Amino acid sequence: MSNKISPPSGFFSVNGLLVFLLFVAPTIQYRVELGSFSFALMEPLVLIVSTILLSYQIFSRRKLIILKDPLVYLFAAITLWAALIRPWSLDQRHGLSDVRDWLIPLLGFITLITTIRHGWRYWITIYIFLVWLSALLGIYQHLTDSFRPFISELAAYKTEFAISPEEDRLARASFAAGFFSHPNGFAMYLFTGLMMGIGKFYKSKPIVFLFVTLIPIALSLYWTFAKAGLLVMVGAILFIWIERWVKANRTLLVVALSGIIAGIVILWQVSRHIPPALLVTFWWRVGLWQIALNIIRAHPIILLTGNGMDLFALQAYYGQPHNLYIYLLLDYGLIGLIWVLVLAWHLWQRGIRIRTTGGMEAEPLLAAMWIGLLGYLVVGLVESNLMGIELRMIFMIAAACLAGLAREMAAEIQSREKAKGALHVR
């Protein structure tokens, strides 16, 4: 198997450029307001591109083949559940918009995994390149404290890690945000790209790639001041090293659980010896979680029918709970919470199966992307990072890259085994 990364056949065709646009789509977080109706900039882009690519498949093959990947069913399940319950929310406009916010990323996900049949390494390289360009913009934004064209008003309250001596609280940050409306969303995008980049680095360890690509992405991620994302980034990098070292799957699970427990204990001990101002944003989140749980206790019907985010927005001091699991519980009821837990379990089991077949040993990218997706869900403990169309699309693109490359690697391993068998027979 060659390590050379070259463009797959047809990349410079219309189809290749359209696929490229799907990767670009969620990186510009801007909404177009038309009176009572609004839409994200990526919505028409994904709709048009997906329609063209899927139509091409239908006309060229006389049929549309949608791969029977478990992730298709999982993403379709939450989209269907949203379509059933979200139109009945107190804010009907927001509820209907939320259905679109699931449906369009799902369409993009299906388009990617059915259009790209081979050459996933190249497309992952394209993804890393796009993240790197965004990281350079983020570094510029931090250094100049300027040019954040789509930033929301709430992002202005973003704080850094230093305490202001005048006010005895965290100082306001000159943050990186790219073309996102909030630095925390930008941090999730950088995080997925950084994990992919680390996977590529593990393959051949090019020093130039480390300094030119990975360090700028890591710096930009640091300057988003997304504290949870940075902590998970450190843990994810450590876990990538452990995954390469530990061979037995059960041992890896024990090490992972032990690491989580040790991390919690260490953070708890550290929190007792640092200035209280450094924990303000954490306790601010705890207050939001308490409000959310109080709302659920007062309105237990939310557990069945969801649509509790409108009540939360009316009572809380911030419009969302900064916790993926509480957010899904509020908006989609117990079904939403069960869905994300099943998703996490599926990703874990899928990674274990890939390890068992030797896929991760042969291709470190698979390990890095697997850990990156799991890390995305860990960050969800303190961020609602599947809330909004762009963040959902980013997660689904990363999931498509894992599923696509895993399928490609399985085919390569099978081909090699057949070749070995043929040689043995001879």
Side-chain angles (χ1 to χ4, degrees):
M1 180 179 64
S2 172
N3 291 332
K4 183 180 179 182
I5 302 295
S6 58
S9 177
F11 170 74
F12 294 106
S13 66
V14 172
N15 280 9
L17 293 176
L18 289 174
V19 170
F20 175 78
L21 290 177
L22 285 179
F23 281 88
V24 173
T27 65
I28 302 174
Q29 196 169 357
Y30 177 71
R31 293 196 72 84
V32 178
E33 301 288 343
L34 299 174
S36 60
F37 178 73
S38 70
F39 61 89
L41 186 64
M42 67 162 277
E43 291 186 57
L45 178 59
V46 173
L47 278 172
I48 293 170
V49 168
S50 296
T51 300
I52 295 172
L53 288 172
L54 296 179
S55 298
Y56 173 77
Q57 291 183 48
I58 293 171
F59 290 123
S60 64
R61 301 172 186 169
R62 303 298 180 186
K63 59 182 177 180
L64 176 63
I65 301 174
I66 298 177
L67 298 176
K68 295 180 180 179
D69 190 287
L71 288 171
V72 173
Y73 298 115
L74 279 168
F75 293 143
I78 192 64
T79 303
L80 177 60
W81 181 243
L84 290 173
I85 67 167
R86 294 295 286 122
W88 314 111
S89 65
L90 292 177
D91 185 347
Q92 193 175 46
R93 173 190 169 190
H94 180 258
L96 292 170
S97 177
D98 187 58
V99 176
R100 298 201 320 269
D101 289 352
W102 281 112
L103 183 60
I104 290 173
L106 171 63
L107 179 62
F109 174 79
I110 291 173
T111 302
L112 282 174
I113 64 170
T114 57
T115 300
I116 305 174
R117 296 307 179 110
H118 62 88
W120 276 100
R121 291 180 185 83
Y122 187 81
W123 286 110
I124 290 168
T125 301
I126 293 292
Y127 188 94
I128 296 169
F129 175 70
L130 290 171
V131 172
W132 177 72
L133 290 178
S134 296
L136 295 182
L137 173 60
I139 292 171
Y140 173 81
Q141 290 168 331
H142 166 73
L143 294 177
T144 64
D145 197 13
S146 66
F147 192 65
R148 303 180 184 99
F150 306 129
I151 206 70
S152 67
E153 293 181 4
L154 294 174
Y157 296 96
K158 187 68 179 175
T159 56
E160 56 176 63
F161 307 114
I163 299 175
S164 171
E166 297 84 7
E167 302 176 6
D168 193 27
R169 62 181 183 181
L170 291 177
R172 293 284 176 85
S174 174
F175 54 81
F179 291 121
F180 285 68
S181 64
H182 197 282
N184 288 0
F186 185 50
M188 295 314 306
Y189 178 59
L190 294 172
F191 175 75
T192 58
L194 181 63
M195 292 299 103
M196 292 180 186
I198 290 172
K200 281 185 69 67
F201 178 74
Y202 252 108
K203 184 75 173 184
S204 55
K205 297 181 174 59
I207 298 300
V208 173
F209 182 76
L210 171 66
F211 284 97
V212 174
T213 304
L214 294 186
I215 289 180
I217 295 175
L219 274 176
S220 191
L221 177 55
Y222 176 81
W223 283 325
T224 63
F225 299 102
K227 302 166 185 66
L230 289 168
L231 284 173
V232 172
M233 177 196 72
V234 173
I237 293 173
L238 177 61
F239 193 55
I240 289 174
W241 178 80
I242 292 172
E243 190 280 329
R244 305 299 294 172
W245 176 64
V246 175
K247 301 301 180 184
N249 290 330
R250 285 189 178 181
T251 305
L252 183 66
L253 177 60
V254 171
V255 171
L257 292 175
S258 301
I260 291 172
I261 294 171
I264 292 172
V265 172
I266 291 171
L267 289 175
W268 176 256
Q269 292 298 322
V270 169
S271 69
R272 299 171 61 184
H273 300 90
I274 62 175
L278 292 175
L279 295 174
V280 167
T281 56
F282 173 74
W283 294 117
W284 177 81
R285 283 168 166 78
V286 172
L288 292 173
W289 304 341
Q290 290 173 338
I291 293 171
L293 295 177
N294 288 337
I295 289 173
I296 292 172
R297 278 195 290 266
H299 305 275
I301 192 65
I302 289 173
L303 297 176
L304 295 177
T305 62
N307 290 315
M309 278 295 294
D310 296 320
L311 287 173
F312 179 83
L314 290 173
Q315 298 184 33
Y317 45 82
Y318 196 82
Q320 53 102 343
H322 274 276
N323 182 293
L324 171 62
Y325 305 90
I326 292 176
Y327 156 67
L328 290 170
L329 187 63
L330 281 170
D331 240 4
Y332 307 99
L334 283 172
I335 295 295
L337 180 59
I338 292 170
W339 173 81
V340 74
L341 295 177
V342 170
L343 174 63
W345 179 248
H346 166 73
L347 289 173
W348 173 263
Q349 288 294 101
R350 188 170 193 148
I352 294 299
R353 286 195 298 270
I354 296 170
R355 289 187 91 239
T356 302
T357 59
M360 289 186 183
E361 185 175 359
E363 181 51 83
L365 252 176
L366 287 170
M369 290 191 296
W370 174 54
I371 293 168
L373 285 170
L374 293 173
Y376 200 106
L377 298 179
V378 173
V379 176
L381 292 170
V382 289
E383 295 290 348
S384 304
N385 54 1
L386 282 180
M387 183 178 180
I389 189 169
E390 292 88 2
L391 289 176
R392 291 170 185 174
M393 184 72 176
I394 288 169
F395 184 82
M396 290 190 195
I397 288 176
C401 289
L402 174 67
L405 184 56
R407 187 174 69 246
E408 195 169 332
M409 277 297 303
E412 291 175 0
I413 292 172
Q414 186 177 17
S415 178
R416 288 200 300 271
E417 292 298 325
K418 285 183 178 179
K420 287 180 182 178
L423 289 172
H424 180 71
V425 169
R426 291 177 185 177

